[in-house]
Amino acid sequence: MKRGRKPTIDAADITRAAIAVADAEGLAAVSMARVAQELGNATMALYRHVKSKDELLTLMGDAAMGEPPPLPDGGWRERLGFWAKAVLGAIGRRPWSLQIPVSGPPTGPRSLAWFDSALGALDGTPLEPGEKVGVVMGLLTFVQGEARLSDTLTRGFEDNPAAFSRQYGQALRALVDPRKMPSLAQVVEAGVFDVDDLYAAEDVAAEFDFGLQLFLEGVAAHIGRRS
């Protein structure tokens, strides 16, 4: 009995299959052998199109973001804020992408499209091209940091919800010495951590918005000085 002919594949097919594995089983499950199994092909056949797992991860990281949505009408602040929230949403749909190591500046088509979109949000400002790049990279660092922290805390909350309850505030009262940590002691005594759920979804979103507005305020101040 003749064996059926293996399906023809390319790098895009391999990337899509790898993303499907990561979506279903997590990034740790992705291997050339596992992706080959997903495609119904031989492992060695993948290496004709993707040289290594590291290259595959790079392709996955680029493809995972998808295409950037069109920017809304409005000023640079509204447009850049929209972009930041769109990046956060894209990462949130595939949080495993945060585990992919970044080995260099963006070169993938989707990463470059997101980069272009953010730079476009600053059109019409008096910023120099290099300053625009600095603003975008600073904002991306903030968004990715927030996404990474949120992902880590989500897993921590799932493992131990009690750690995010009023117990935390009570523990800090016992641990924080006002003589050694006076500023933290003031925050603790103000009852900031005396809540039933430190990781409520609405609070996480509000904290992101607060940080985003602070960043944009800084950019606005810089633009004001340039104007």
Side-chain angles (χ1 to χ4, degrees), residues 103-125:
S103 57
T107 57
R110 292 178 181 83
S111 297
L112 292 176
W114 281 90
F115 196 11
D116 177 76
S117 177
L119 291 171
L122 293 167
D123 284 349
T125 68

Side-chain angles (χ1 to χ4, degrees), residues 7-17 35 39 41 45-46 48-50 56 59:
T8 302
I9 57 173
D10 59 19
D13 295 324
I14 295 168
T15 303
R16 281 192 293 270
V35 175
L39 288 166
N41 220 306
L46 273 60
R48 300 191 190 105
H49 309 279
V50 178
L56 177 58
L59 293 171

Side-chain angles (χ1 to χ4, degrees), residues 6 22 33-34 39 51 53 61 63 66 75 78-79 90 95 98 109 146-147 158 161 188 190 205 207 211 215 224:
K6 297 295 184 183
R34 178 65 185 86
L39 288 166
K51 294 185 178 67
K53 182 180 176 181
E78 291 76 22
R79 291 157 65 87
L98 292 168
E146 286 289 309
E158 291 171 351
V188 172
E207 288 175 4
F215 182 91

Side-chain angles (χ1 to χ4, degrees), residues 73-135:
D73 294 330
W76 69 265
R77 185 164 181 159
E78 291 76 22
R79 291 157 65 87
L80 201 57
F82 173 87
W83 180 88
K85 292 180 180 179
V87 172
L88 186 68
I91 294 173
R93 287 189 287 275
R94 289 195 166 119
W96 52 258
S97 64
L98 292 168
Q99 302 170 37
I100 296 177
V102 178
S103 57
T107 57
R110 292 178 181 83
S111 297
L112 292 176
W114 281 90
F115 196 11
D116 177 76
S117 177
L119 291 171
L122 293 167
D123 284 349
T125 68
L127 296 177
E128 298 290 340
E131 291 177 308
K132 291 180 180 179
V133 171
V135 168

Side-chain angles (χ1 to χ4, degrees), residues 127-148:
L127 296 177
E128 298 290 340
E131 291 177 308
K132 291 180 180 179
V133 171
V135 168
V136 172
M137 296 309 295
L139 181 55
L140 182 60
T141 299
F142 164 72
V143 175
Q144 289 182 334
E146 286 289 309
R148 186 168 284 105

